[in-house]
Amino acid sequence: MTSSEFLVNEERAETGVENDASDEDEIAVEPDSDNNSGTIIRISDVLEYLFCPRFTYYMYCLDIPQHEEKRFKVVKGREVHETRKLTNRDYVRKKLNCTRKESEVFIASKQHHIKGIVDEVLFLEDGTAAPLEYKFAEYKDKIFKTYKFQLVLQALLIRENYNIEVNRAYLCFTRSNSLVKEMEISTTDFKKAEKIIEEILDIIEKGLYPKTSRSSRKCVDCCYRNICV
């Protein structure tokens, strides 16, 4: 395996896919007569789409499961969400000037057609709030696009449901001695996230067959590689 292929596999295993989808509700797509599209998706659905748009098509148009539970890093990623109470989280929050927090927050938006669980919602001294996400991963001098938009979507949900400004987010890399990295969130980031949601809804509701990922390296470890054309 080349170094580039290894990095792709690391991204695939260490994105929000590590979160057990059942934590976000057993129903990935649910009808809702109060919103225009009638569909609410999970944050984890967005992460799959960002890795490759065809994941959305195979999972929700053809109803073909991934069986991701067999992957070591996915399993370990789920375990870390159960064991992170063992880390010194109070020390982490103090460094971030956090005045209070809420943990394991299920949060949803009919307006934006998205739902998910936030590891921690931090309320900061400057009057803003921020999501904090734990990753069973090492920090490798970059933040994957999937990491970024997981946090942006969480920030979008926090901003709407708590009616509070959210302009940053935090990632805690548990395999790098719980290193915490701050990420700024801009208005442009929110708009991009909303556009991605719209693209996913189009695939699900219209049965559109999307183009594959631009990187063929991602196909090497893909569970749909034998049926994807």
Side-chain angles (χ1 to χ4, degrees), residues 35-149:
N35 66 46
N36 292 329
S37 75
T39 301
I40 295 179
I41 61 174
R42 303 172 304 200
I43 290 177
S44 56
D45 295 328
V46 177
L47 306 187
E48 296 284 15
Y49 172 83
L50 290 174
F51 185 81
C52 179
R54 289 190 180 174
F55 269 84
T56 303
Y57 181 81
Y58 290 127
M59 289 174 64
Y60 299 115
C61 294
L62 299 186
D63 196 24
I64 302 175
Q66 297 183 58
H67 302 297
E68 285 293 339
E69 67 277 2
K70 297 180 181 179
R71 297 178 57 87
F72 169 75
K73 284 184 177 292
V74 173
V75 173
K76 292 300 294 182
R78 292 172 181 173
E79 287 177 358
V80 79
H81 278 75
E82 298 298 323
T83 61
R84 58 177 180 266
K85 291 181 180 179
L86 300 177
T87 64
N88 192 348
R89 293 185 290 168
D90 289 334
Y91 174 72
V92 169
R93 295 189 206 98
K94 186 175 181 181
K95 289 180 63 176
L96 301 179
N97 298 318
C98 175
T99 58
R100 70 182 181 93
K101 59 87 181 178
E102 295 182 13
S103 300
E104 298 295 322
V105 181
F106 175 83
I107 195 167
S109 169
K110 292 182 179 180
Q111 177 183 350
H112 297 293
H113 318 293
I114 191 80
K115 64 182 178 180
I117 291 179
V118 184
D119 283 349
E120 292 185 359
V121 179
L122 306 182
F123 299 91
L124 308 175
E125 289 181 350
D126 64 359
T128 65
L132 171 64
E133 180 73 15
Y134 292 86
K135 291 294 180 185
F136 181 69
E138 296 177 8
Y139 179 63
K140 299 178 181 178
D141 298 320
K142 67 176 295 183
I143 294 179
F144 292 127
K145 183 179 181 180
T146 43
Y147 288 176
K148 174 180 177 178
F149 279 98

Side-chain angles (χ1 to χ4, degrees), residues 168-203:
R168 77 197 84 167
Y170 298 97
L171 278 168
C172 180
F173 293 88
T174 60
R175 294 173 64 196
S176 292
N177 197 27
S178 294
L179 173 69
V180 176
K181 301 298 293 185
E182 180 177 307
M183 186 189 81
E184 294 184 358
I185 299 178
S186 66
T187 301
T188 300
D189 291 328
F190 285 125
K191 290 181 178 179
K192 287 181 179 178
E194 291 172 2
K195 184 175 185 297
I196 291 169
I197 293 172
E198 291 176 0
E199 292 171 354
I200 294 172
L201 294 177
D202 277 345
I203 294 174

